[in-house]
Amino acid sequence: MAPSQTAPGRVRGQGQWKLGHREPLNPNERFKRDDDPLNVRARIENIYARRGFGSIDPQDLRGRMRWWGLYTQRRPGIDGGRTAALEPEELEDEYFMMRVRLDGGAVSAAQLRALGEVSQDYARDTADVTDRENIQYHWIRIEDVPAIWDKLEGLGMRTTEACGDCPRVVLGSPVAGVAAAERIDPTPAVDEIVERYIGSPEFSNLPRKYKTAISWQQDIAHEINDIAFVGVEHPEHGPGFDLWVGGGLSTNPRLAVRLGAWVPLDEVPEVWAGVTTVFRDYGYRRLRHRARLKFLIADWGPEEFRRVLEEEYLGRALVDGPAPETPERPVDHVGVFEQKDGRHYVGVAPPSGRVSGGTLAAIADAAERAGSDRIRFTPYQKIVVLDVAGDRLDRLIEDLNRLGLPAEPSTWRRSTMACTGIEFCKLAIVETKERAIRLVEDLEKRLADTVPDVPISLHLNGCPNACARTQVADIGLKGQVVTDGDGNQVEGFQVHLGGGLGLDAGFGRKLRGLKVTSAELGDYVERVVRNFAEQRTDDERFAQ
Ligand code: SF4
């Protein structure tokens, strides 16, 4: 049965191209139809960078520039309570946030040094490691964008499709190619997808953002990506990848589902393109908040999606395959580990992903002194230095320690993440990054006598969009305005408890009425952790 006949009502009339709905149904669809967003690059280089911020066409400014990793940042001094009431032009500053896509999270020492220099030269020394293995800058002037591109692209880095309704950065394992337990290194598939499809008009107009993750190990949060390939051993065909689709958080969270298909390494790019094309052609384009692939999967179900993929796009059946074994928790690679070649990798935890240009350049120097030319960013806002010989380990660990990047961080520093928040994000209601850093320091003191022997993840988000994964944290915090004990409206958080990925993958319970003010946050987390530690039975995990 064709999809057009499957789920009438909801499936029909949602702006799916394949069903003949080519007329744009909202302003975003209109600007994408009117001019491929990738074309804005020429205008940035030839007009906007020369004439300044005021010359930028509003549709480019708030729409197409995202396809080149550029968003305007929040004007300083606007409190979160006013976010929803203001027009975009009232909220936005004349500076940009710029996101550099680092597919697979992979950089060389020279690339890392250049990322640091861009930060120091053009971004007031800002640099955040995002939970999608990107580097995010702030305070970028439109006049400087062409020079930044020159520098980054000269060393093989890009901002192409780092944001926008297109294939975003491809997440890969930070330890791809070196992990002792890895049976196949998926890097060739990541590279081929990027080479063939990123910056291509074929996929530069998807219904919504599209997130990919590919890894042998379960270290890439595959459950919350639109498409993911996870390593699995097939009893007849050997090592390959299990195909997952339709994950995503935000305000309607859904975990990805398996299609039950085993994909060999050399077919990953073709299958990726097939799934992406189904999304492009059948995805819902009427309402942006219902446009992610997860809504199509929810309506069709995995069997129907696989049938359409096979019959209409691949022209062949996929091989049925088993599910991969699920680890108790996803792996974050923080610490010192032996590689399959006998050398080591060292993972460190910048506080809530915040570093600086100077720190990035200093990590590059330290890695080179340790004989390494490969550094990786992780989907947990961490940094990993690969290929370190045993006799260089101590020196590297010392160097990283001096940069404030311990390889043995406290459990709180290791498992706390924070989104951009009100400092720069136009959608934010509360401050997150600096608050998370202070909270970690506070918890290290408060809970020095009660260090849980299981990690407890703490994710601070500035609004319901859940960029730092509110719903899949042990303690997920969603920023909002709350009422304090004196009746004042203040910054605070709705609490979600017991979410996670891995064996207990699921969304935290949103406890009705459980809201804390930001001032109460340390007291609240301490209370929750002490209760857990006191009442915990043997081997019980937080999410159980
Ligand atoms: Fe901005 Fe909200 Fe995302 Fe945080 S969760 S970065 S505040 S949109």
Side-chain angles (χ1 to χ4, degrees):
M1 184 184 285
S4 53
Q5 299 167 308
T6 50
R10 180 169 285 169
V11 174
R12 285 199 182 128
Q14 294 301 314
Q16 310 95 310
W17 282 0
K18 190 79 175 187
L19 304 189
H21 299 284
R22 297 299 297 218
E23 210 34 53
L25 294 169
N26 63 53
N28 279 274
E29 286 302 313
R30 207 164 299 127
F31 80 67
K32 290 189 287 182
R33 192 268 319 260
D34 290 349
D35 184 28
D36 186 329
L38 291 170
N39 293 339
V40 77
R41 174 158 178 152
R43 291 194 285 282
I44 293 171
E45 290 177 320
N46 300 326
I47 303 172
Y48 304 149
R50 293 181 186 171
R51 297 188 191 160
F53 187 87
S55 69
I56 305 174
D57 176 278
Q59 281 198 340
D60 287 346
L61 183 65
R62 299 187 193 107
R64 300 184 189 95
M65 287 176 74
R66 287 183 272 147
W67 272 248
W68 289 95
L70 291 159
Y71 279 98
T72 48
Q73 65 188 39
R74 186 186 188 93
R75 182 175 299 189
I78 299 177
D79 71 65
R82 296 169 63 209
T83 299
L86 295 177
E87 294 297 322
E89 57 272 22
E90 296 174 292
L91 268 172
E92 76 197 358
D93 206 346
E94 295 193 357
Y95 294 95
F96 290 87
M97 177 212 89
M98 175 185 267
R99 198 174 284 160
V100 185
R101 70 177 298 144
L102 300 166
D103 297 281
V107 287
S108 66
Q111 287 175 320
L112 186 60
R113 191 171 293 111
L115 285 167
E117 287 166 1
V118 166
S119 162
Q120 291 175 310
D121 292 346
Y122 303 108
R124 301 190 188 179
D125 209 21
T126 58
D128 289 328
V129 179
T130 77
D131 61 3
R132 293 203 63 80
E133 301 180 340
N134 298 302
I135 284 291
Q136 189 167 301
Y137 298 125
H138 298 282
W139 300 111
I140 300 289
R141 298 163 64 242
I142 190 67
E143 291 85 348
D144 295 330
V145 170
I148 295 171
W149 281 336
D150 272 355
K151 175 139 187 162
L152 294 176
E153 291 171 4
L155 282 160
M157 294 179 283
R158 297 196 285 174
T159 66
T160 321
E161 297 187 328
C163 313
D165 299 349
C166 49
R168 307 280 186 95
V169 62
V170 179
L171 285 188
S173 171
V175 296
V178 304
E182 182 186 72
R183 290 292 313 280
I184 320 178
D185 175 1
T187 306
V190 174
D191 291 347
E192 188 176 336
I193 289 169
V194 172
E195 171 93 0
R196 285 175 62 180
Y197 301 113
I198 301 309
S200 156
E202 197 175 346
F203 297 131
S204 61
N205 181 354
L206 299 178
R208 197 73 168 82
K209 62 184 161 188
Y210 185 66
K211 298 183 176 182
T212 303
I214 306 174
S215 175
W216 178 263
Q217 309 191 54
Q218 296 183 33
D219 54 359
I220 44 162
H222 65 277
E223 302 98 325
I224 53 173
N225 280 267
D226 294 278
I227 178 168
F229 295 86
V230 180
V232 69
E233 196 79 38
H234 193 289
E236 290 165 40
H237 303 290
F241 293 89
D242 189 40
L243 174 57
W244 297 60
V245 294
L249 294 178
S250 198
T251 46
N252 285 290
R254 290 186 72 87
L255 293 178
V257 294
R258 297 181 55 240
L259 292 189
W262 175 88
V263 183
L265 176 63
D266 60 350
E267 292 177 12
V268 166
E270 178 206 4
V271 173
W272 180 90
V275 171
T276 310
T277 312
V278 177
F279 177 48
R280 182 193 67 194
D281 294 352
Y282 283 106
Y284 303 159
R285 291 173 183 263
R286 178 183 290 279
L287 303 169
R288 280 186 72 71
H289 67 271
R290 287 191 47 79
R292 288 284 295 274
L293 179 59
K294 61 189 175 182
F295 295 101
L296 184 64
I297 303 288
D299 285 344
W300 282 9
E303 294 80 15
E304 176 66 1
F305 189 90
R306 179 170 167 178
R307 188 195 67 73
V308 173
L309 172 67
E310 291 176 335
E311 291 181 9
E312 295 188 26
Y313 291 89
L314 298 177
R316 64 185 173 86
L318 293 163
V319 175
D320 289 339
E325 268 181 46
T326 309
E328 195 171 291
R329 291 184 78 93
V331 196
D332 67 3
H333 304 300
V334 173
V336 180
F337 302 89
E338 192 169 339
Q339 298 180 179
K340 61 173 120 181
D341 64 2
R343 292 184 291 175
H344 299 79
Y345 59 87
V346 179
V348 294
S352 59
R354 178 139 283 182
V355 281
S356 67
T359 302
L360 292 180
I363 296 170
D365 293 343
E368 280 183 337
R369 273 197 299 275
S372 169
D373 191 32
R374 296 201 292 173
I375 300 96
R376 302 283 181 264
F377 297 111
T378 88
Y380 293 86
Q381 300 181 329
K382 309 293 185 280
I383 301 173
V384 184
V385 180
L386 306 185
D387 305 333
V388 185
D391 60 358
R392 308 259 192 118
L393 270 175
D394 288 348
R395 170 77 192 273
L396 175 67
I397 291 167
E398 256 174 52
D399 285 350
L400 293 172
N401 248 326
R402 265 197 298 276
L403 296 172
L405 298 168
E408 288 184 10
S410 72
T411 190
W412 305 112
R413 183 196 278 217
R414 179 173 181 167
S415 50
T416 297
M417 300 205 320
C419 76
T420 302
I422 206 165
E423 188 182 6
F424 299 114
C425 178
K426 288 176 292 183
L427 303 177
I429 301 167
V430 307
E431 204 279 314
T432 49
K433 284 270 188 212
E434 293 301 324
R435 176 164 291 133
I437 292 168
R438 289 197 306 276
L439 180 63
V440 164
E441 291 164 357
D442 188 23
L443 293 174
E444 284 169 348
K445 290 185 200 129
R446 285 171 181 262
L447 289 162
D449 62 335
T450 312
V451 179
D453 57 2
V454 288
I456 296 178
S457 54
L458 194 56
H459 294 189
L460 281 78
N461 294 266
C463 81
N465 283 319
C467 296
R469 311 180 197 152
T470 315
Q471 303 94 335
V472 292
D474 292 309
I475 303 175
L477 299 164
K478 181 175 78 184
Q480 59 182 223
V481 174
V482 301
T483 308
D484 71 8
D486 299 325
N488 302 312
Q489 298 282 289
V490 296
E491 286 196 3
F493 296 90
Q494 163 76 56
V495 180
H496 296 238
L497 282 183
L501 299 175
L503 203 56
D504 298 315
F507 301 130
R509 279 163 295 132
K510 180 172 136 185
L511 304 180
R512 190 177 285 276
L514 184 40
K515 296 173 184 175
V516 289
T517 67
S518 53
E520 296 164 340
L521 208 46
D523 290 344
Y524 174 74
V525 176
E526 179 181 359
R527 208 161 54 239
V528 170
V529 172
R530 288 196 186 281
N531 283 345
F532 171 65
E534 279 164 26
Q535 293 165 18
R536 181 179 179 223
T537 54
D538 286 351
D539 298 331
E540 187 184 14
R541 298 183 296 274
F542 193 90
Q544 290 178 311

